[in-house]
Every structure is written in structure tokens, then in C-alpha cells.
Amino acid sequence: MSKQSLEAHFSAVRDALSSGNLPAVFEAARTGLSNYPKEIDFVKIQIVALMKQEKAQQALSLIDQARKAKLLSPKDMAYETAYCYFVTGNYELAKRQLKHANPGPLVAKLAAQIAYKSDQFSECADIYAALISETEQDSQEYNDLVLNMSAAKAAAIAQHGQDSNDKDAAT
């Protein structure tokens, strides 16, 4: 039995993707990788398919396996790795991994979310302020960023107020 062509495997991935069947996308990429073990795109497709299915821990395991097999470098898929750490609640590893990602608005938004979840509200607000300065004012994204920045500023104020109350209670 002859193996399918590389294009046939990618076609199977595209077909599954167009039907919105993420488990089938993963399976088609897995099959493609078994026939073409050095084809890094199949690994990346599997990782993203797992992420889209909210299977971050499995995606992290696959990233780790791919790095050990030298299919991915430590910097490959840095954003995706950071995102998976973020959704699993490991904010410190998420922040560390994000430093290896290519800068851009998506990376900055994740950095802001990590800062917020890590109770670094002032840092979060600063990131949102920078994003706002680069966003068109008459857009929903702009409004969302302003709302998120306001929430971060309010949390920072509340945090500083709590810090003051804690100090007063200690004296």
C-alpha cells in the first residue's frame, strides 16, 4: 500500500477545517505526521486544533514532545505555549514564554491578561494604554481596550487601597 501524498494529507486537513470538525483536523494532521514525520506544519496544526478545543494541557504536552524531537525550537510557537500556560493558570510560565514570541498586538493583549491575572494591575493598564494609542478610535476593539484599561486601573486603585488598609491594621 502506498502512502498518501503530502498534498492529500493537507487536503484532508483543509476539508476537516472547512467543516469545522476540530477532532478530524487533529486526526488528519496526526495521520499526515505519521507519514511525513518531519513535516512541522502537521505538528502546528495539531497544537492549534487542541487549543481550539480547549485542550491546553494536551497542547502543551504535544509542544514539549515536538521540542524534544527537535521538530520545534524553543522559540517556535512561543505565543501558543504562553497562551496554553495562561489558560491552565500558570501565569509565571506564560509570562516567561511570551518573552520569546514575536511582538505585536496579540502578544500585548495576552501580556495584559497575564498581568491582570497576576494582580499586576498597573502593568496591565500600561499595556492597554499602549494598545489604545495604536488602535482606531471608532472601533469596537478600541472600546474594548478602554474598558479593559479602566478595569485594570480600578483594580490597581482598589489594590493600593487594600495595601494601605493592611498597613493600617498592622500598626
Side-chain angles (χ1 to χ4, degrees), residues 2-70:
S2 64
K3 69 178 180 180
Q4 282 184 295
S5 71
L6 184 61
E7 182 52 41
H9 285 291
F10 279 114
S11 181
V13 168
R14 277 191 299 275
D15 291 346
L17 194 55
S18 68
S19 69
N21 187 342
L22 291 172
V25 169
F26 178 87
E27 189 58 33
R30 189 192 63 73
T31 302
L33 187 61
S34 70
N35 286 321
Y36 296 92
K38 300 288 185 196
E39 186 55 55
I40 191 171
D41 287 336
F42 287 131
V43 174
K44 291 178 178 181
I45 290 165
Q46 286 180 295
I47 292 165
V48 173
L50 288 170
M51 291 172 64
K52 295 275 188 187
Q53 294 176 78
E54 299 180 7
K55 296 179 179 181
Q57 196 59 53
Q58 287 176 265
L60 284 169
S61 294
L62 187 55
I63 291 167
D64 187 50
Q65 290 171 12
R67 287 182 175 160
K68 285 179 180 170
K70 306 283 190 222

